[in-house]
Amino acid sequence: MTGDILKYLREKEYVSGEVLAQKLGISRVAVWKQIQRIKDMGYKITSDQNLGYCLVSRPDLLIPQEVQKELSTTYIGKKIFYSPELESTNIIAKEKALHRTEEIDEGTIIIAEKQSAGKGRLGRKWFSPTGGIWVSIILYPQLPPSYIPRITLMTAVAVVKAIKVYTQIESQIKWPNDILINEKKVCGILTEMSAELDIINWVVVGIGINVNIDRREFPEDIQENTISLKEVSGKEVLRVKLAQTFLQEFEKYYDKLKRKEFFSILREWKLYSHTLGRKIRVDMGERIITGEAMDINEEGALVLKKEDGERVEIISGTVS
């Protein structure tokens, strides 16, 4: 009902309470209560005794009505579960992906204004205050499990493209899942899945972008290596517009991946790479390998040339 009222308010400068009551099949008192609820969400609505209600301004909140308003996707983001605060969007997304119903389909997203226990790779915490974009996308790709690294790389390209398209800010990809600006992290990606031997059951891709967050808000131990789009641009970035741009880019690249056109995605990934051509150290948990990052292969693995000349393919690890 909130979405319907906002839709009518956007169509005309003023809409009377009587008209809204007739269209929605509720009383004028119920309309007034809905208007108050919408105001509490951050919308500025004025009223005139003779003309009715007028929508003056909208908040930069990632609520479904705003994100979907000008979202030109076919299926990504067509179903949105929104919350002002969640423990983790990935946790909720995994629960919903596991118990798939008609309302949980390919491209369903979970989005929150803040997370109390955001998740990073290897069980790390992801600082997620108000002012960022914290979103998880549920996917049901008919692909083998070997495609999981490619989904992460594809998502990274979509993030870089969205930031460039909407803000004109250049960013780079640090293999496998970090987006950097000026050598500092602006975005992280966490891909989780359920799979059998030859087929993926579901995938959840979590994306966290530092948008309008001041440096002093970040914990001291990560301040030096973290950055936000606001800090780079010198002004606040409209999160709704950036989220729409990202979801559109994500769908475009995901469709390419499903058509098994990863080669074209990989070509773009290499253009944005922060890792290739550098001497790096890869912590794989059980062992550490050092060498030069030579390439990313068709499976999404990092090809590392060790000091003795041996080439090693790495599927997962932490690069420094």
Side-chain angles (χ1 to χ4, degrees):
M1 189 171 293
T2 297
D4 290 334
I5 290 177
L6 287 169
K7 174 177 174 289
Y8 294 131
L9 289 175
R10 290 191 188 106
E11 290 175 350
K12 294 182 180 180
E13 186 175 357
Y14 279 93
V15 184
S16 72
E18 184 177 354
V19 168
L20 287 172
Q22 290 174 350
K23 287 181 177 291
L24 298 169
I26 60 177
S27 68
R28 291 185 64 177
V29 172
V31 167
W32 180 85
K33 288 181 179 179
Q34 288 293 328
I35 293 291
Q36 301 311 306
R37 186 172 299 168
I38 293 171
K39 285 182 177 180
D40 290 340
M41 293 167 66
Y43 290 84
K44 186 176 180 181
I45 298 173
T46 59
S47 59
D48 183 282
Q49 190 170 357
N50 298 316
L51 299 173
Y53 298 104
C54 175
L55 178 60
V56 177
S57 65
R58 306 195 300 266
D60 190 31
L61 294 176
L62 300 169
I63 58 178
Q65 294 90 340
E66 294 302 324
V67 174
Q68 292 172 331
K69 180 175 177 285
E70 296 174 352
L71 182 63
S72 58
T73 57
T74 303
Y75 57 97
I76 298 292
K78 292 304 178 182
K79 179 67 177 181
I80 298 176
F81 290 89
Y82 166 86
S83 178
E85 181 175 353
L86 289 173
E87 180 182 1
S88 162
T89 58
N90 258 39
I91 289 175
I92 302 300
K94 287 192 294 181
E95 290 173 356
K96 291 187 179 297
L98 180 63
H99 304 291
R100 186 176 184 180
T101 63
E102 288 185 3
E103 66 173 359
I104 309 298
D105 209 346
E106 179 100 320
T108 297
I109 72 173
I110 315 298
I111 199 162
E113 298 295 339
K114 65 184 295 188
Q115 297 180 115
S116 59
K119 295 177 62 180
R121 286 179 68 243
L122 306 176
R124 299 188 185 103
K125 290 185 178 180
W126 180 265
F127 182 63
S128 331
T130 301
I133 293 176
W134 323 118
V135 60
S136 296
I137 306 173
I138 298 173
L139 305 173
Y140 295 100
Q142 298 299 303
L143 296 167
S146 61
Y147 267 75
I148 290 298
R150 288 173 250 198
I151 291 175
T152 300
L153 299 186
M154 172 217 78
T155 303
V157 173
V159 172
V160 169
K161 280 295 292 291
I163 291 174
K164 172 67 174 176
V165 168
Y166 185 64
T167 70
Q168 304 305 306
I169 295 171
E170 302 279 356
S171 56
Q172 293 180 295
I173 305 168
K174 177 184 173 185
W175 186 89
N177 69 325
D178 289 341
I179 310 301
L180 308 181
I181 298 175
N182 301 333
E183 303 286 329
K184 298 177 181 181
K185 185 187 290 193
V186 73
C187 171
I189 299 163
L190 175 63
T191 305
E192 300 183 273
M193 72 162 180
S194 167
E196 297 174 28
L197 186 62
D198 58 350
I199 194 71
I200 295 171
N201 295 321
W202 53 260
V203 174
V204 166
V205 184
I207 302 96
I209 307 176
N210 301 328
V211 186
N212 297 322
I213 306 171
D214 292 327
R215 179 185 291 269
R216 59 181 176 272
E217 290 184 59
F218 291 105
E220 287 187 10
D221 60 329
I222 64 170
Q223 279 186 14
E224 187 176 336
N225 299 312
T226 307
I227 201 167
S228 72
L229 295 176
K230 178 183 176 181
E231 181 178 345
V232 178
S233 64
K235 61 182 180 181
E236 290 210 346
V237 174
L238 291 176
R239 294 181 306 136
V240 169
K241 294 294 184 183
L242 179 58
Q244 291 169 336
T245 305
F246 165 68
L247 294 173
Q248 287 158 190
E249 292 293 337
F250 184 93
E251 182 174 283
K252 179 177 73 176
Y253 286 106
Y254 181 53
D255 283 345
K256 283 186 179 183
L257 187 71
K258 289 191 292 185
R259 293 195 300 267
K260 300 191 175 178
E261 297 175 9
F262 182 65
F263 63 92
S264 66
I265 299 171
L266 185 56
R267 187 166 56 242
E268 286 194 67
W269 192 98
K270 291 179 182 180
L271 289 175
Y272 305 133
S273 174
H274 177 273
T275 305
L276 296 182
R278 292 174 178 254
K279 289 189 175 180
I280 61 172
R281 174 180 182 271
V282 185
D283 186 342
M284 302 171 64
E286 296 179 353
R287 61 177 177 147
I288 293 173
I289 301 177
T290 59
E292 184 179 353
M294 301 297 294
D295 198 7
I296 301 292
N297 67 19
E298 283 289 333
E299 285 71 47
L302 175 65
V303 180
L304 189 74
K305 182 180 179 181
K306 296 168 63 177
E307 291 182 359
D308 61 5
E310 180 189 1
R311 289 184 178 235
V312 181
E313 294 182 358
I314 303 169
I315 290 293
S316 179
T318 301
V319 169
S320 58

